Amino acid sequence: WWGLDWEPEGLPPHVTREDSVEIHFTNPFAMIGYRWTISEAERGIVASQSRPSGFVPGQPGFGLPIVASGLGAGKFTLTIQGWDGDEWFPMGGSSYTYSWTVDPDYGTDLSDLPHVLSRLYESVQGSTLNFAWDGRNEAGILVAPGWYTVLLRLEDPLGNATYSKQLFYVDQLSGAGDVTVQVSAGARRPDARGGWLVWEESGAGAPDIRARRLAEGSVAVALTNSARAQEHPRTDGRYVVWQGRGENGNWDVFLADLESPSVIERLTQTPGMNETRPVIDWPWVAWQERPLDGSAPWQVRATNLETAESFRVFPGPDEQLTPHIHAGRVVWRDMRHPGTGEIYFQDLEDGTTRRLTDNLFAKVRPRIDGPWVVWQDNRMGQVEIFGYNLLRGVDEQLTFGPGNKANPFLADGWLLYEEDSLFVNSVNFELMDLDTRRSVPLTRSDAPKSAGVIAADRFVWSQTDGESGAVLREARLPALQAVFDNQNAVPVTEGMAAAYGNAFSLLADWGAAAGVASVSRFAGSLPDWSEETAVLENGFPAGHNFPLEPGAFLWIRFAGDEVLELDIPQTAGVNLPSGISALSYDRFPLGYSAAAFVRDLGPERVRAIRFLDSATGFWRSLEVKEDGELLGPNFRIPAVAVVLLDLREAIPSWTPYTP
């Protein structure tokens, strides 16, 4: 101003939606007053004020600010002229001017961006609206990862509008980012269970079989290095089977113990027969077989590796394909009926055989784990995942919504499947808890993907990455806990404690998102536990605002069935005290059980293990007698759980055993 590089503070942007200004400035000169005007290009002067006295030169703030409101839309110019006590400084070079435009719609034209979702609320005056975006578009499809703009437009009865914008980021992967574990042309067809990952890998020649522990820092083990193709590996977490080319070009079945991978056993050696698609769950191995000349249909054979018993499971006139096996039970696709195949089941111990489906639509890729058999099915006009609960005897649809769902993988009550709703010809993965039927996305990108598996605390899939070709990618699964519309014991993870800090913050978020009305914690140890509770009263937290401490647990009732994502599982060991205590843990391996827990702790150290099964509302209990005998059912322990322990002695730095 007056030849110096100086401007008032608080000037509006050159284009703005705000039609009010408040401008401050400090007078560094001998001026003791000023006057100002704000004029609009078409309306002339719309605001002005003269202040010729009462100012102290150099005083911060230089008196009262320039304030004007209700300017409306238009192109405005601010002019400031100084007063030295005797006269006004000359206009022109001795006055200060600044121009800007008020446009109420500025920044609200998002027509260049793809539209994702719109919501209209009418007659909202005097009310409070709550809206939480779940990351899905108008068609109910989860959007791609990246930044999204949310525009709020408020309109009065006269049509006057005001706006607010905010940016949100959608993550690409639930939990941690992914990391390449094996980069090699032709890395594909992974399978995993327990603590092991196996896959088929093609380098410069025929494919070979590789294995790797699902643990930080582990390296790949070369099970085969053959000039003949070795394909389709499958594991039960200790052993691995695969099909390998024989000397005369036929397929045979091979076996390796992952604890002693240098010893390879050939389970079949039949020059006139092809044996393919082997699967294993010790002591049973199953595969499909037929004569090399193709003169007969594929039939499923099962072999008990302990007794050497071997038989065709359900001989028939038509093909039996893609067997899968778990706990002495086998499922397969059977073509003996009109149509494109039905799903069959057999208990290999007693021979009980059951037909699980009965319709003319295509049903392929069956898998079995625990009480569930699942497969992909097109009876609904697009591909969906269907399941059969062996305890309930019900054939039911498990997946819904836009896009196809295919290639199911089962592990410990979790269903992993591919879906293509995001992009045309794309594949991404979702993970569903079969108790709650709630699913969470694991990937959201357009990179070509296939063959996803989960085991231990890892998620692995095959992906085509540019010039690298097919690679395996791995991510640590987030700590996911299924909760129900009754009382649930929820562990406090490090991620929860970092994100919320205290009970009030957690309750404010979970109250709106999941209908939680109260959160309680228990301090001390039995029998002197004391309860502290935070509750929602009229929408605001009240009661005890206790801190969230990793390793503790919360007692929460939810409004409905949910799957909570509780950040990345912990890796450090846990110190377990003697006597009765509560273990809040988020890294139990998939498929873990109470008997496995007793084995890991040492039977001589354990009196009892108890767990609240919130899906049923029942407490499960396993007692250990002094001679090590187990009394009670061998119940499942979820990957994220709170378990009550009664120990005879303390156990320092405990972690669960993973094969």
Side-chain angles (χ1 to χ4, degrees):
W1 201 1
W2 289 285
L4 298 177
D5 185 14
W6 180 83
E7 289 186 357
E9 297 176 355
L11 290 171
H14 287 290
V15 183
T16 180
R17 295 201 308 269
E18 301 295 331
D19 68 346
S20 62
V21 294
E22 181 172 334
I23 302 169
H24 299 259
F25 61 94
T26 300
N27 172 29
F29 308 106
M31 178 174 69
I32 64 171
Y34 67 93
R35 63 185 178 186
W36 58 268
T37 61
I38 296 178
S39 58
E40 201 274 325
E42 297 183 0
R43 289 179 282 156
I45 295 177
V46 295
S48 65
Q49 194 165 13
S50 177
R51 294 171 176 168
S53 63
F55 296 89
V56 178
Q59 177 179 322
F62 187 39
L64 298 176
I66 297 173
V67 177
S69 60
L71 298 177
K75 298 180 179 180
F76 296 90
T77 298
L78 166 69
T79 301
I80 305 174
Q81 190 176 14
W83 170 261
D84 67 1
D86 294 320
E87 61 182 2
W88 293 104
F89 290 123
M91 294 295 288
S94 299
S95 60
Y96 176 83
T97 61
Y98 178 81
S99 298
W100 74 99
T101 298
V102 175
D103 180 1
D105 294 331
Y106 176 68
T108 64
D109 182 7
L110 304 181
S111 58
D112 291 339
L113 300 177
H115 175 255
V116 175
L117 183 71
S118 294
R119 290 290 183 266
L120 173 65
Y121 300 93
E122 298 180 309
S123 302
V124 298
Q125 58 268 30
S127 63
T128 300
L129 291 175
N130 293 305
F131 174 74
W133 184 40
D134 61 1
R136 298 178 184 270
N137 62 17
E138 295 282 13
I141 299 172
L142 285 166
V143 299
W147 287 100
Y148 289 80
T149 302
V150 176
L151 176 67
L152 172 66
R153 183 177 189 269
L154 300 175
E155 183 177 306
D156 67 17
L158 300 178
N160 300 312
T162 186
Y163 301 84
S164 177
K165 286 198 306 184
Q166 188 168 350
L167 290 175
F168 290 89
Y169 186 75
V170 176
D171 285 330
Q172 178 173 347
L173 185 73
S174 293
D178 52 352
V179 56
T180 301
V181 300
Q182 180 72 24
V183 180
S184 177
R188 59 179 187 163
R189 292 176 177 161
D191 189 47
R193 188 178 288 180
W196 281 95
L197 168 71
V198 297
W199 69 93
E200 169 191 317
E201 181 176 302
S202 296
D208 277 297
I209 307 302
R210 302 287 183 259
R212 176 182 176 273
R213 284 189 183 274
L214 289 169
E216 299 292 344
S218 61
V219 297
V221 177
L223 297 178
T224 68
N225 287 291
S226 173
R228 293 187 291 268
Q230 313 292 309
E231 299 179 359
H232 287 283
R234 292 293 181 263
T235 183
D236 63 357
R238 171 66 186 270
Y239 297 92
V240 57
V241 292
W242 66 92
Q243 65 186 53
R245 283 285 185 190
E247 291 78 2
N248 68 335
N250 70 312
W251 292 104
D252 285 316
V253 176
F254 293 81
L255 168 78
D257 183 344
L258 290 170
E259 299 295 336
S260 304
S262 61
V263 179
I264 304 298
E265 182 179 352
R266 191 168 186 167
L267 297 184
T268 67
Q269 194 167 4
T270 48
M273 188 76 71
N274 273 325
E275 291 104 351
T276 66
R277 303 272 183 166
V279 288
I280 185 169
D281 193 38
W282 185 269
W284 289 99
V285 179
W287 60 81
Q288 60 186 46
E289 64 180 19
R290 74 174 179 184
L292 190 61
D293 60 8
S295 59
W298 290 105
Q299 298 282 280
V300 174
R301 175 173 292 275
T303 297
N304 188 309
L305 297 177
E306 290 182 332
T307 65
E309 178 186 13
S310 183
F311 54 89
R312 287 187 169 177
V313 299
F314 194 47
D318 295 286
E319 290 192 326
Q320 301 168 351
L321 304 169
T322 59
H324 192 253
I325 195 168
H326 182 249
R329 303 161 303 159
V330 64
V331 292
W332 70 94
R333 180 187 179 200
D334 199 301
M335 308 296 291
R336 71 184 65 209
H337 303 285
T340 56
E342 303 293 344
I343 306 302
Y344 269 76
F345 160 92
Q346 185 178 107
D347 187 322
L348 297 172
E349 301 291 344
D350 61 18
T352 301
T353 304
R354 197 186 312 181
R355 178 181 175 181
L356 304 185
T357 63
D358 185 5
N359 62 71
L360 297 177
F361 296 95
K363 298 163 287 294
V364 299
R365 297 185 176 92
R367 295 192 72 96
I368 182 172
D369 189 272
W372 281 100
V373 179
V374 298
W375 62 91
Q376 69 180 59
D377 192 308
N378 73 350
R379 75 182 75 172
M380 306 307 296
Q382 65 181 25
V383 179
E384 300 287 353
I385 306 301
F386 275 69
Y388 189 98
N389 189 297
L390 295 168
L391 299 179
R392 296 199 299 264
V394 177
D395 170 9
E396 54 187 311
Q397 185 176 346
L398 299 177
T399 61
F400 299 85
N404 297 295
K405 294 83 172 176
N407 294 327
F409 184 90
L410 272 176
D412 194 32
W414 292 97
L415 168 65
L416 176 71
Y417 55 90
E418 300 173 6
E419 62 88 27
D420 64 2
S421 64
L422 185 59
F423 303 105
V424 176
N425 297 323
S426 69
V427 167
N428 281 289
F429 293 96
E430 290 190 358
L431 186 63
M432 175 186 289
D433 172 67
L434 288 173
D435 286 333
T436 63
R437 304 296 170 84
R438 298 300 182 106
S439 60
V440 294
L442 292 183
T443 65
R444 304 301 294 170
S445 73
D446 58 355
K449 294 178 285 293
S450 65
V453 297
I454 56 173
D457 60 350
R458 306 301 173 97
F459 162 47
V460 180
W461 70 99
S462 179
Q463 182 167 309
T464 302
D465 285 349
E467 296 180 357
S468 299
V471 302
L472 295 186
R473 297 185 71 81
E474 175 186 328
R476 187 185 296 275
L477 283 171
L480 299 172
Q481 181 182 9
V483 295
F484 302 86
D485 60 349
N486 50 30
Q487 296 292 351
N488 298 266
V490 178
V492 177
T493 65
E494 294 180 0
M496 286 173 59
Y500 298 106
N502 56 60
F504 280 9
S505 296
L506 178 70
L507 185 57
D509 186 15
W510 287 14
V516 172
S518 66
V519 175
S520 300
R521 76 165 180 177
F522 295 90
S525 59
L526 288 176
D528 299 320
W529 274 354
S530 60
E531 180 180 349
E532 296 176 314
T533 300
V535 299
L536 278 181
E537 295 182 355
N538 300 318
F540 296 95
H544 294 89
N545 187 23
F546 51 84
L548 300 182
E549 300 173 350
F553 72 94
L554 305 176
W555 197 250
I556 306 175
R557 186 184 187 99
F558 290 81
D561 297 349
E562 302 280 352
V563 171
L564 302 179
E565 183 176 333
L566 305 177
D567 202 65
I568 298 303
Q570 63 198 53
T571 57
V574 180
N575 295 322
L576 303 176
S578 62
I580 298 176
S581 65
L583 171 62
S584 171
Y585 200 67
D586 57 3
R587 201 174 169 230
F588 290 109
L590 290 177
Y592 207 60
S593 67
F597 199 1
V598 171
R599 175 203 66 201
D600 290 354
L601 294 170
E604 71 283 358
R605 299 171 169 175
V606 184
R607 292 192 184 94
I609 295 175
R610 297 178 179 87
F611 167 71
L612 174 62
D613 182 355
S614 294
T616 62
F618 295 139
W619 282 93
R620 310 296 185 189
S621 180
L622 183 64
E623 183 181 352
V624 185
K625 300 180 68 174
E626 291 189 2
D627 61 2
E629 180 184 357
L630 303 182
L631 298 179
N634 181 24
F635 53 88
R636 166 193 169 220
I637 297 179
V640 179
V642 176
V643 182
L644 296 182
L645 300 177
D646 187 357
L647 300 182
R648 293 185 171 91
E649 60 181 87
I651 303 175
S653 192
W654 173 86
T655 56
Y657 170 74
T658 301

